[in-house]
Amino acid sequence: MTAAARRNPLVHDRRLLVEPSILSADFARLGEECASALAAGGDALHVDVMDGHFVPNLSMGPVVCAAVHRACPEAFLDVHLMVTDPARWIEPFAKAGAGHLQFHAEAVPDPAPVAAAIRAAGMTAGIVINPDTPAEACFCALAHVDTVMLMSVHPGHAGQSFIGRVLAKGPALRARMSPGQRLMIDGGVSPANSAECRAAGCDVLISASAIFGAPDRAAAIAAIRG
Ligand code: DX5
Ligand code: ZN
């Protein structure tokens, strides 16, 4: 099944979505871990891509994304590019089964052509801002993207503490976004703060350690969903 043909929950579901981030999965058993997160109620899988340059860590690339796609062909894959040159990775991730591709406002001088190229490759497009980046930095991108994502940790690792002050950006963004656009939040999201995230206007909640590290993943996802 092609990414374009797969049902895109970011577009077709109006309800709140919870995306397990596979960064905290057991990589030695990645296919089983992805299936477990979906069976526990995950609406899509979040794939964190780090280049060791935009962020000081390396994670996974198109080969791993393609392996996840083969293991769970029905899963919708949301790929978060924490890379210096996102345009270079559009085609490889489209071929690897990504359905949504997100890139950082801090990485590109003009988000419009990057978002257009993502859409031309058959995916939906998202812009991401780091905790210290003001909401205004992505206003110029809003006409060109399907989602905006607030980072609530400094990107690079799973398991960091939630930075609550980023939620102040939610209402300002929501006021400028269309009802069909999604406001996502990523980093340190857990049952302890998900109500605050929802109250700030976030309708896609991403979590790695609070889901993969929980003894009962279904209960963790249900608690995050609220
Ligand atoms: C951070 C990644 C996040 C990360 C979240 O750089 O973008 O998606 O996996 O991990 P937790 O939920 O453990 O903070
Ligand atoms: Zn992420």
Side-chain angles (χ1 to χ4, degrees):
M1 193 185 298
T2 66
R6 218 173 326 146
R7 191 167 176 285
N8 183 334
L10 295 166
V11 174
H12 295 117
D13 276 346
R14 291 318 323 146
R15 64 196 175 94
L16 180 115
L17 302 176
V18 178
E19 293 187 355
S21 163
I22 64 171
L23 192 59
S24 288
D26 177 353
F27 278 28
R29 302 167 39 249
L30 188 54
E32 286 165 52
E33 288 278 84
C34 291
S36 151
L38 294 166
D43 296 299
L45 295 173
H46 183 84
V47 178
D48 283 313
V49 176
M50 305 178 190
D51 66 354
H53 187 262
F54 182 75
V55 290
N57 196 10
L58 291 165
S59 59
M60 44 199 138
V63 170
V64 176
C65 185
V68 168
H69 182 49
R70 277 195 304 278
C72 299
E74 304 295 329
F76 186 79
L77 304 183
D78 161 31
V79 173
H80 173 192
L81 295 177
M82 287 161 274
V83 305
T84 300
D85 184 5
R88 178 178 163 195
W89 299 105
I90 295 170
E91 237 10 89
F93 278 102
K95 287 188 180 135
H100 185 60
L101 198 58
Q102 306 196 55
F103 60 97
H104 274 253
E106 301 86 359
V108 294
D110 181 3
V114 181
I118 291 171
R119 286 174 163 177
M123 300 173 284
T124 44
I127 189 94
V128 189
I129 52 172
N130 278 334
D132 295 334
T133 301
E136 291 75 16
C138 66
F139 286 176
C140 68
L142 293 181
H144 309 283
V145 296
D146 302 283
T147 67
V148 175
M149 188 160 79
L150 300 175
M151 287 310 300
S152 40
V153 298
H154 297 285
H157 297 275
Q160 303 180 73
S161 298
F162 182 74
I163 302 173
R165 63 180 158 77
V166 309
L167 294 176
K169 298 181 228 180
L173 282 162
R174 264 284 165 227
R176 287 168 177 79
M177 290 164 68
S178 70
Q181 288 177 309
R182 294 285 199 161
L183 183 60
M184 311 173 75
I185 186 157
D186 182 18
V189 174
S190 76
N193 54 44
S194 61
E196 286 172 72
C197 298
R198 297 192 299 270
C202 301
D203 59 2
V204 183
L205 309 183
I206 291 128
S207 177
S209 47
I211 294 175
F212 283 98
D216 180 343
R217 292 176 180 173
I221 290 173
I224 289 168
R225 202 185 293 285

